[in-house]
Amino acid sequence: MTYWRKHAAIPVLIAAIVLIGAMAYQFYRMKDDGMFVLKDLSGDRKTLDDVVISGQLGDGFHRTSWRLDEGRIDTNTELFKQPIWPDTYRYIPGGNKRIGNTEFRVGGNREFNIMSYERPPDKNDLMPIRTAYVTPSIRYGKSSNGNAVTYANPLEYGIARIGGKVYFTVPAAYDSTGTSGIYELSFVDWGISLVVDKQDYPARTVVEVPLETNVSGQSAGIDVLGLEAVGNKLVLISVENHALKLRSYDGASGELFGEATVPNFYLPGRPGTPSGANTYQESYEAFVDEGRSALNLSFMGSSIDHRFFLNFDLSTGVKLIDTVTVAFDDGDFDPYRGFYKASYKNGRFYILRAFRDARMIDNEPYYDLALPQHCYLYVYERSELVYKGELATDMNDDNVEMLSVLPSANFSYDQMDYRFFSKITIE
């Protein structure tokens, strides 16, 4: 009896190891059992035959890679040996703009400093890398107040990159005068930026951008909305006297490749805007298609779910190919897990949209995070909706804990525990 008392822990330990191993094996077998299907809601799925859509759905503990090819969806789920901090970057106006693996932040007022940051692998902390400076010859207009300058868009809209070269233009408002430009930035290592002479790192003017103003009160002038890069081309986006304009320049020489104009494009509160005219917000989303040398733009209309999509071909000059106006009424945009993704191919717009169910009770935002999430795919051809489907998953199972504690003030939303879509591509 003494022997068995002394060694009783050994079979218990063995049994525990076997039980844990069996549970781990069962969990591993279940990793691909989660729901992930494409549900047809309307139209013909054959409209998806010539596109490939892929992405990831995951949190800090596992990740499902998925691929929709010729209307058929395949998935593969990876369980992490150790929790990995998820990449939760989402663009917030006035925040950092991510290009590739680098994030840029623009500071200053009249004299601008552009900081670049990088994130070490599997870390959530940004590390400052380099700094650049530029001071355009702009005189800011009446909409500016003292030292507070009014811009057409947040300053980071003016950042673009081609290879290792970074460019900047000021999103100048319609009543600014003087001369702006597209500038190639000269960076200095962040660690020594405080002890160097800024004059030793001048920005190179690639293109001059003369500004006109609403001097007489009869003209809407020029709003510079932003700068984008497609291949080796820089694309300046502006609204001039109620017309959207895109100009394409060579990133090295500044040579003008071409331009396109979209008339009757009204921004809110501009002089000369007709009464009752449809207006579009200055902020936009850009979707670059490098393979087809194309740029897709999305502007928000009178509400957050009323959007105007445009496709431009930049292979030779700039050519407007197609547009579509969409009034999304399926639910509300979610600032935490919502997104838009758009592409254009063979005469069709492909739009992927993640959103949440509409709030049922006004002025009760507590449960917004727990509302069911959805991801819909829309296909438009000649402005007609020809297909609508849902990427249906079991991600809403993650909301069970939220429902049990909200609206408790002790609840803390942690992206480690709630799956979200990322790395979406439409090819």
Side-chain angles (χ1 to χ4, degrees):
M1 293 296 293
T2 302
Y3 175 85
W4 288 110
R5 287 195 190 99
K6 287 183 178 180
H7 298 86
I10 295 177
V12 173
L13 177 61
I14 293 174
I17 292 174
V18 171
L19 178 61
I20 293 172
M23 292 174 62
Y25 176 72
Q26 180 65 17
F27 286 140
Y28 183 81
R29 287 186 58 205
M30 293 171 59
K31 72 184 180 69
D32 290 321
D33 290 344
M35 181 178 69
F36 208 121
V37 298
L38 176 63
K39 293 183 177 180
D40 300 323
L41 301 179
S42 67
D44 189 347
R45 188 185 290 202
K46 290 183 179 180
T47 58
L48 305 178
D49 285 352
D50 56 355
V51 296
V52 176
I53 305 174
S54 62
Q56 295 179 353
L57 177 68
D59 53 24
F61 301 92
H62 70 295
R63 171 173 58 214
T64 299
S65 299
W66 55 272
R67 178 183 175 90
L68 177 63
D69 190 355
E70 294 185 350
R72 183 182 62 256
I73 194 162
D74 297 309
T75 64
N76 179 60
T77 299
E78 175 186 6
L79 302 177
F80 304 143
K81 294 181 179 179
Q82 295 291 333
I84 297 175
W85 189 268
D87 182 0
T88 58
Y89 170 82
R90 294 175 184 84
Y91 172 69
I92 299 173
N96 292 359
K97 179 176 182 178
R98 177 182 287 187
I99 305 176
N101 295 320
T102 305
E103 293 184 24
F104 296 92
R105 181 181 302 164
V106 185
N109 199 1
R110 295 182 172 87
E111 179 183 283
F112 305 99
N113 60 82
I114 295 90
M115 294 280 294
S116 68
Y117 299 82
E118 292 182 1
R119 192 184 309 272
D122 300 330
K123 301 293 183 181
N124 197 43
D125 298 323
L126 285 174
M127 301 294 294
I129 305 299
R130 300 184 300 167
T131 307
Y133 310 93
V134 62
T135 306
S137 301
I138 300 175
R139 298 184 297 275
Y140 298 95
K142 295 179 181 179
S143 59
S144 301
N145 182 14
N147 292 326
V149 175
T150 299
Y151 302 104
N153 260 330
L155 292 170
E156 63 274 7
Y157 270 79
I159 290 285
R161 187 176 73 180
I162 298 177
K165 296 181 178 180
V166 181
Y167 302 83
F168 176 69
T169 192
V170 178
Y174 70 96
D175 57 356
S176 300
T177 59
T179 302
S180 184
I182 300 175
Y183 306 96
E184 180 186 336
L185 301 177
S186 179
F187 282 89
V188 57
D189 288 342
W190 176 79
I192 62 172
S193 59
L194 296 179
V195 298
V196 300
D197 189 343
K198 299 177 183 178
Q199 304 301 320
D200 294 337
Y201 296 87
R204 180 178 74 92
T205 302
V206 180
V207 177
E208 285 194 349
V209 180
L211 301 174
E212 298 174 358
T213 186
N214 182 26
V215 176
S216 64
Q218 301 300 316
S219 169
I222 299 175
D223 283 277
V224 178
L225 300 187
L227 185 68
E228 302 296 331
V230 181
N232 66 341
K233 304 176 180 70
L234 293 169
V235 183
L236 185 70
I237 303 170
S238 63
V239 174
E240 304 180 17
N241 293 323
H242 309 306
L244 177 68
K245 284 187 176 291
L246 270 69
R247 293 183 175 91
S248 172
Y249 300 95
D250 179 78
S253 67
E255 176 188 356
L256 177 65
F257 286 144
E259 62 181 75
T261 301
V262 181
N264 302 320
F265 194 93
Y266 300 103
L267 299 177
R270 298 310 191 270
T273 300
S275 177
N278 291 326
T279 61
Y280 298 94
Q281 298 297 317
E282 296 89 342
S283 58
Y284 63 87
E285 291 184 88
F287 310 98
V288 176
D289 188 336
E290 296 281 4
R292 285 184 281 273
S293 191
L295 178 64
N296 298 287
L297 297 179
S298 168
F299 288 89
M300 187 171 70
S302 55
S303 70
I304 194 169
D305 289 325
H306 176 212
R307 290 189 171 262
F308 183 39
F309 292 88
L310 308 95
N311 171 259
F312 293 91
D313 179 6
L314 285 89
S315 57
T316 55
V318 184
K319 184 179 180 182
L320 176 63
I321 301 300
D322 203 354
T323 67
V324 64
T325 299
V326 180
F328 293 112
D329 57 3
D330 299 302
D332 296 335
F333 186 77
D334 188 327
Y336 290 94
R337 290 185 275 183
F339 68 85
Y340 286 95
K341 188 74 175 182
S343 185
Y344 187 85
K345 184 178 181 181
N346 296 341
R348 298 188 182 117
F349 277 102
Y350 297 86
I351 303 170
L352 202 63
R353 174 178 180 257
F355 61 96
R356 68 186 179 207
D357 282 354
R359 185 186 300 169
M360 301 301 294
I361 305 176
D362 291 339
N363 301 319
E364 290 289 342
Y366 311 108
Y367 291 97
D368 281 358
L369 285 172
L371 289 170
Q373 304 281 326
H374 304 275
C375 185
Y376 278 11
L377 171 61
Y378 309 83
V379 183
Y380 286 87
E381 184 174 5
R382 299 185 182 90
S383 297
E384 295 293 330
L385 180 64
V386 295
Y387 177 79
K388 179 179 178 180
E390 179 180 7
L391 288 175
T393 74
D394 56 2
M395 66 181 294
N396 290 316
D397 293 350
D398 300 348
N399 297 350
V400 172
E401 181 182 358
M402 274 193 244
L403 291 170
S404 65
V405 297
L406 286 173
S408 169
N410 295 323
F411 175 75
S412 177
Y413 179 82
D414 190 341
Q415 194 69 78
M416 285 284 289
D417 300 319
Y418 298 93
R419 283 172 286 178
F420 62 98
F421 285 93
S422 62
K423 300 183 184 296
I424 307 295
T425 62
I426 305 176
E427 301 174 343

